[in-house]
Amino acid sequence: MKNIFTPLFLLVFITTAWSQKVEIPVDTTVTTNHSVTINSKNIDYTATTGMQPLWNNDGEPIASLFYTYYKRSDVKNTENRPLVISFNGGPGSASVWMHVAYTGPRVLKIDDEGYPIQPYGIKENPHSILDVADIVYVNPVNTGYSRPIPDEDGKVDREKFFGVQADIKYLAEWLNTFVSRNERWLSPKYLIGESYGTTRVSGLALELQNSQWMYLNGVILVSPTEIGIDRDGPVGIANRLPYFAAAAWYHDALPAELQNKELEDLLEEVEEYTINELTPVLVKGGFTETAKKEEAAEKMAYYSGISKEVILQNNLDVDYRFFWKELKRKDGVTVGRLDSRYLGIDAKEAGDSPDYNAELTSWLHSFTPAINHYLRQDLNFKTDLKYYMFGPVHPWDRSGDNSGENLRQAMAQNPNLDVMIQSGYFDGATTYFNAKYTMWQLDPSGKMKDRLSFKGYESGHMMYLRAEDLKNANEDIREFIENSLPKEGAPAKY
């Protein structure tokens, strides 16, 4: 009998084990103690990783969001201690990029230009902003370890999470709980978002004020999206040229007299041409005089590193993807989308777009093993959930994106709210010149332009991957925080 029933018992056991679902931690924290040297000063801090629930109107948990919260240990009174709330983008991207490569106390082991090296892992970040602010990295639903919690029928209402407006609304509710639990209501507060995260934090600035009665001191937009500000048609086409010039300059594809210029000097020249000459030509479209069209194509070729013939074949409308394929076609390589310093190899040199994003594959190469190891081994957060670098959030409802107007409204309502934009010159996805255009258009009245600032860097979408820009960009944030803190007792009024 023993020999007969043992295989049956094993079959039942294995089937039962396989049928068990991975548990979603709904409300849990793990705190560890660490230290880091920032600007030659030792900083002791705690790192709290956890899952905090989001509730519906009946008080039932409908999602559990994963976060990592760094708090300086030697600051007992937090009423003057800034709190930076950090989001990445996608939508669908985990809050991993800025966490372990930019502002946090640990950064990737990569080379000075941002390329992966082995063995993978992390090291101290001597430029982290933890000396001047505590930081929480928040992962929206279906990013990182964050998950929706199915109802009793096993269903998830995707409309509550996966869209511009839904995302902003539920995250504001979640942040209210986080700030209350961690007793940070008196602290100056800052939002920082990267890429789609800039849409998120722009909308959150007003949502937090109007629905949670939580007022901010600053919003930092890293490699911003359009945030609902139109730049279609001739403006959208013309705005590509300064980025084309930056990428061509990096790859030594420009005439000597341009190549010998400092990058920012070159870009100032290209911006002036774009605004004052190219845009008016494009506005006339097919009714542009032939001589004017020829002249524009020649100038575009001069600044972009691709031929006048190709530009005319495209009627002056050179698409980004075509540019990434064309710039170094003769060398048999493509340039990256998010960072055009990176090179890729396609199956064919012919074609009008690259086979893949060379920069993103490089980044995932180094980020994925590092974050999985760091959270489990260094921060002691253990779960069988997969860490979603990019999670299942699509289809994403992009309707009603008024995030730029929301940010303007939040600034108008709150005299203490300042905004800083950070962009890499070699970013071809959210280009630096479109970021400038966003800043220019954000407040058409011009009455708040002294509260808007722009910083550019000689790198790409994640400018902080380059060692020099990691230092400079963090210092820019540090200065932004220090300069935007009002003097004690100063009233918030116009």
Side-chain angles (χ1 to χ4, degrees), residues 421-442:
I421 292 174
Q422 296 182 302
S423 288
Y425 294 126
F426 309 131
D427 179 2
T430 58
T431 68
Y432 91 90
F433 191 61
N434 270 327
K436 280 189 174 183
Y437 184 84
T438 292
M439 182 177 69
W440 297 335
Q441 303 302 318
L442 189 63

Side-chain angles (χ1 to χ4, degrees), residues 253-308:
L254 298 177
E257 64 271 20
L258 296 180
Q259 204 64 56
N260 291 332
K261 289 177 178 284
E262 294 294 325
L263 178 59
E264 291 189 354
D265 293 337
L266 165 65
L267 294 180
E268 183 178 354
E269 177 182 328
V270 181
E271 289 175 22
E272 288 296 315
Y273 170 74
T274 297
I275 296 167
N276 297 322
E277 299 185 49
L278 180 58
T279 301
V281 169
L282 292 170
V283 165
K284 293 187 70 174
F287 285 78
T288 302
E289 297 88 342
T290 301
K292 284 283 187 183
K293 189 173 183 179
E294 289 273 346
E295 181 182 330
E298 188 168 340
K299 200 72 169 181
M300 289 176 70
Y302 181 63
Y303 285 136
S304 69
I306 62 176
S307 72
K308 175 183 175 182

Side-chain angles (χ1 to χ4, degrees), residues 5 12 105 117 143 228 325 357 389 427 449 462:
F5 283 103
V12 172
I117 58 174
T143 72
K325 182 79 173 184
N357 295 329
M389 300 292 287
D427 179 2
K449 63 183 179 182
M462 297 198 292

